[in-house]
Amino acid sequence: MKVTKYHHRAQFADLDALTARIRDALAAGDYILGPAVERFEERFAAHTGVAHAVGLNSGTDALVLALRALDVGPGDEVITVANTFHASVLAITAVGARPVLVDCTPGDHLMDLDQVDAAVTPRTRAVLAVHLFGQALDMDRLGAIADRHGLAVVEDCAQAVGARWAGRRVGGFGRVGCFSFHPSKNLAAAGDGGAITTDDPEIARRVKVLRGLGQRAQNDHVVRGCNSKLDVIQALVLDDKLDRLDGWNARRAEVAGHYARALAGTGVAATPPAGQRHVFHLYQVAVDRRDEVFEEMTARGVEVVVRYPVPVHRQPAFADLGLTGSFPNAEAQARGTLCLPVRPDLTGPEIDYVLDVLLAATGHRPRRLVAG
């Protein structure tokens, strides 16, 4: 059996109808921004529970433009977590600010909020809060830390679209929420795409100006912006999928729950189910001999992945920054975890096969449960 990490065809309820809408947009020359993008922005803002969403061409640009809209720049520090994706730190450096890293906590791999509090200096302007692998941070506690120090919170929601904290969706807690619609994400475009979300109309206005080459009006360039506009085809694809996102996330949680129950007591450290806080963009397991387990599972047709084998403080691109500190939990995650397929369309036999292959590769005895 082959169990893939993605199955893009399963994400379309009526591919012919969507293709017809794309064909109409192509024939009309309606390619960039316009009504289709505005419709998706309005619906995505409503889904997130905020007043404004602004479509962009990537999640990385969402992070960069969010920081620019907050006037974060040279001389400023931005705190983020050491086990995040490269783009989180890249965005901080792109605006000229200095990243300050804190470790993650063991088990859930989320930002250690005790370390955030301790990392604040007079130069700290913002916290880039990463909802990693699909799980929401404790936004009540982080908000209290930010308020105490007068910091802006920028939420990196690239892996957690639809996740909730205290009943509210991520992307609606900080000054700005940043989303990626890369084809690997829970809400996936047919290419790249991203968005920011905010309740602040001035931030939304600034990001719209920045994404359009700094234009306030045609040929009136008021800032040095960039070209980062969500195109119509991606907006149509995302709009077509948006209403099914919550159902997909619920099914991901079901798959994750089955993994967790089946792995309990086996010796494989599994990601615990976490209710609405977690939409299981990735399902992490900690194993001994990780690289050997990866090779064996891949050879038997299970597409496992490693996120992220080299923490950002060890990336050559950031070598000149001197990102010093002790990050033992981030190092342990990089060294000893891999991600199981957690697609919402996984079948019971596929789930059981993943478990059988994992437990055989790790030398643990399977506990047979019937996957739903």
Side-chain angles (χ1 to χ4, degrees):
M1 183 182 292
K2 185 170 182 62
V3 183
T4 61
K5 57 185 181 236
Y6 307 126
H7 183 197
H8 294 294
R9 178 62 182 87
Q11 297 178 9
F12 298 100
D14 189 342
L15 191 54
D16 290 339
L18 175 60
T19 302
R21 289 192 289 275
I22 292 173
R23 186 171 58 246
D24 290 344
L26 292 174
D30 184 15
Y31 302 149
I32 300 172
L33 300 181
V37 173
E38 291 171 3
R39 170 184 161 83
F40 173 69
E41 289 174 334
E42 291 171 1
R43 295 209 326 120
F44 189 66
H47 181 273
T48 306
V50 297
H52 307 279
V54 181
L56 303 166
N57 73 2
S58 71
T60 303
D61 275 3
L63 294 167
V64 172
L65 296 187
L67 292 170
R68 288 194 61 185
L70 292 168
D71 293 322
V72 175
D76 296 330
E77 294 178 349
V78 178
I79 298 170
T80 195
V81 69
N83 65 327
T84 188
F85 180 54
H86 177 88
S88 304
V89 176
L90 179 66
I92 297 168
T93 63
V95 301
R98 177 175 177 77
V100 175
L101 301 182
V102 299
D103 203 5
C104 60
T105 53
D108 63 11
H109 307 302
L110 295 179
M111 177 184 284
D112 186 330
L113 298 184
D114 288 336
Q115 292 192 20
V116 170
D117 211 2
V120 176
T121 75
R123 293 183 297 277
T124 308
R125 284 288 311 282
V127 178
L128 185 58
V130 185
H131 302 294
L132 199 64
F133 306 140
Q135 186 165 357
L137 275 165
D138 182 338
M139 295 307 294
D140 292 331
R141 188 174 170 211
L142 180 59
I145 293 170
D147 289 346
R148 185 163 62 251
H149 295 288
L151 306 177
V153 174
V154 176
E155 295 178 72
D156 184 341
C157 310
Q159 297 186 3
V161 60
R164 300 175 190 260
W165 173 259
R168 293 169 53 197
R169 296 187 197 271
V170 300
F173 290 91
R175 293 287 305 282
V176 194
C178 302
F179 292 84
S180 170
F181 304 126
H182 184 275
S184 65
K185 299 299 190 280
N186 291 26
L187 181 62
D192 224 332
I196 66 99
T197 54
T198 185
D199 280 320
D200 187 330
E202 178 59 18
I203 288 176
R205 185 197 67 78
R206 288 185 181 188
V207 173
K208 286 182 178 180
V209 170
L210 287 166
R211 77 176 176 182
L213 297 168
Q215 288 190 120
R216 182 171 50 195
Q218 187 70 30
N219 296 318
D220 180 19
H221 296 263
V222 293
V223 294
R224 296 175 186 174
C226 62
N227 189 359
S228 182
K229 299 181 282 287
L230 184 67
D231 71 61
V232 167
I233 291 176
Q234 304 310 332
L236 289 170
V237 170
L238 293 166
D239 192 60
D240 180 76
K241 295 179 177 183
L242 183 59
D243 288 336
R244 299 193 298 284
L245 175 62
D246 286 343
W248 289 336
N249 285 344
R251 175 56 183 163
R252 285 176 178 268
E254 290 177 2
V255 173
H258 186 84
Y259 282 154
R261 290 188 299 273
L263 294 173
T266 64
V268 175
T271 301
Q276 289 186 329
R277 286 185 59 192
H278 209 319
V279 294
F280 295 98
H281 171 62
L282 298 170
Y283 190 90
Q284 291 266 7
V285 293
V287 296
D288 296 330
R289 303 179 299 104
R290 193 272 311 281
D291 293 345
E292 295 176 34
V293 172
F294 176 91
E295 294 295 337
E296 183 170 341
M297 294 189 72
T298 301
R300 294 187 60 186
V302 178
E303 287 191 352
V304 289
V305 296
V306 174
R307 298 284 188 269
Y308 301 99
V310 182
V312 289
H313 62 283
R314 295 189 181 278
Q315 291 288 351
F318 302 132
D320 63 314
L321 299 180
L323 297 176
T324 58
S326 176
F327 313 110
N329 296 324
E331 296 277 7
Q333 183 219 309
R335 186 172 57 247
T337 63
L338 53 79
C339 304
L340 306 182
V342 69
R343 304 186 331 250
D345 62 293
L346 281 178
T347 66
E350 286 177 317
I351 295 168
D352 284 337
Y353 183 70
V354 170
L355 289 163
D356 287 346
V357 172
L358 170 65
L359 292 169
T362 56
H364 293 101
R365 180 177 304 223
R367 295 175 66 246
R368 174 60 65 191
L369 298 172
V370 178

